[in-house]
Amino acid sequence: MTRDRILAFAQLLRLPNVFTAFADIALGACVGAAVLSSAPFAFWGAYLVLALASGCLYLAGMVWNDYFDLAEDKKARAFRPLPSGRVRVGTAVALGVVLMATGVVFAALAGALATPEWNHEPLVYAIGLVAAVLIYDGGAKYTPFGPVAMAACRFLNVLLGLSLIPEDALDIEKRVHLAGVVGVYIVGVTWFARTEEGTSRKRDLSLAAGVLFVALVLALLLRAKIPAPLGTVAFPYLLVAFGFLIGLPVAHAIDAPGARNVQRAVKRCVLGLVVLDAVLATMFIGLPGLLLLLLLPTALWLGKWVYST
């Protein structure tokens, strides 16, 4: 396979972004490490398989996104792999099907490895993710409910990452709240990116930025529910630092809402999801949660050649 063909597939898959899916699962592993007194080696091995499941489902979503956008991309984004002919449509369809099927199989396998008795929850969430991805890519993204539909995919991915943890160690309310923080964040990011290829309206960008702020507030409210021995007192300060990390390019884009500024802010927010997951992990496991940031260098390196939006 030639270098140009490899690059075409990497662009089709939005390869740098898959590390954000890994980060969601790593967040779940950090929560598990914090709330479980002990777990067998196989339990942590199951998390590696779960990360593969999440990665496959995310990559499949990127393929289906470009498949359903093909007609529009031929007019507005002819440089993309499918409209340019660098990747055949039939090849993309086969790749999307294989990635989705592989992701579901990996999720089922993770449930089998985690405990002596098969845990069906990873499989259920994986199937839910498949449905959510196809609903979003297949048409929901063109509706006013597009940001919510996209957020549902990420919400389910975080729940997938928490699905190996026994319910008596982490109740459903905290699971939903944690996944909701990430979900609301994605509503804001997706809303902010809706018109990134042209000049965006300041009002829409400001409202989307407000949703991002709500996500951070929800994270603080969740911290109040976590027992004091867990986590680090530095969590609120780390959250504020994250707010500045995404807030500065977002504010610049609102002030000058041209395509370049908005796309730069969106890219920061998308890859910033790894940072958000790392900060949320510190809420449970303390400063070691920042090790999730090790996912960023590879994503940023790949981002030099492969677009993220």
Side-chain angles (χ1 to χ4, degrees):
M1 186 178 289
T2 66
R3 180 179 178 181
D4 288 343
R5 190 160 173 79
I6 291 173
L7 180 60
F9 277 101
Q11 291 172 341
L12 177 67
L13 296 168
R14 310 292 199 283
L15 208 51
N17 294 359
V18 74
F19 292 90
T20 67
F22 294 153
D24 290 343
I25 306 303
L27 170 60
C30 289
V31 174
V35 301
L36 296 174
S37 56
S38 64
F41 179 78
F43 179 84
W44 303 113
Y47 261 105
L48 293 178
V49 177
L50 200 62
L52 292 176
S54 176
C56 286
L57 294 173
Y58 185 93
L59 295 174
M62 295 298 98
V63 173
W64 290 116
N65 176 78
D66 280 18
Y67 171 77
F68 286 111
D69 279 355
L70 182 56
E72 180 182 344
D73 285 349
K74 285 181 178 179
K75 301 175 183 177
R77 296 175 286 268
F79 62 88
R80 285 187 171 177
L82 293 186
S84 67
R86 289 181 296 144
V87 177
R88 295 179 180 177
V89 175
T91 301
V93 169
L95 181 60
V97 170
V98 169
L99 283 170
M100 276 192 161
T102 303
V104 170
V105 170
F106 274 142
L109 180 58
L113 292 174
T115 57
E117 294 185 2
W118 180 54
N119 180 355
H120 67 279
E121 287 190 23
L123 176 60
V124 171
Y125 285 122
I127 293 173
L129 259 173
V130 168
V133 164
L134 292 177
I135 289 172
Y136 175 77
D137 287 339
K141 62 184 173 184
Y142 301 115
T143 73
F145 300 101
V148 176
M150 181 65 206
C153 299
R154 189 62 69 165
F155 177 81
L156 288 170
N157 197 52
V158 176
L159 289 178
L160 177 67
L162 300 170
S163 63
L164 297 181
I165 303 172
E167 192 170 333
D168 57 358
L170 185 71
D171 62 64
I172 189 64
E173 179 187 355
K174 293 186 180 66
R175 293 172 194 251
V176 171
H177 194 148
L178 180 59
V181 171
V182 178
V184 171
Y185 176 80
I186 293 300
V187 170
V189 174
T190 309
W191 191 358
F192 202 92
R194 295 208 82 171
T195 55
E196 63 176 337
E197 293 176 349
T199 300
S200 302
R201 294 194 303 176
K202 289 188 177 184
R203 176 179 174 274
D204 290 340
L205 295 181
S206 298
L207 290 172
V211 175
L212 294 174
F213 177 74
V214 169
L216 302 188
V217 173
L218 288 174
L220 283 175
L221 293 176
L222 177 59
R223 181 64 188 95
K225 300 178 182 179
I226 307 302
L230 297 180
T232 171
V233 294
F235 170 75
Y237 305 101
L238 293 171
L239 195 64
V240 169
F242 172 74
F244 277 103
L245 177 71
I246 63 168
L248 292 177
V250 164
H252 184 59
I254 293 173
D255 183 58
R260 187 173 181 180
N261 290 336
V262 173
Q263 288 173 357
R264 185 181 291 117
V266 171
K267 182 177 180 180
R268 175 73 65 85
C269 289
V270 170
L271 293 180
L273 184 55
V274 175
V275 184
L276 176 60
D277 281 340
V279 172
L280 292 175
T282 68
M283 187 194 312
F284 292 87
I285 202 174
L287 293 179
L290 295 179
L291 290 173
L292 268 66
L293 296 177
L294 293 176
L295 292 168
L296 270 180
T298 304
L300 293 172
W301 178 75
L302 287 171
K304 294 179 180 180
W305 294 278
V306 182
Y307 49 76
S308 299
T309 59

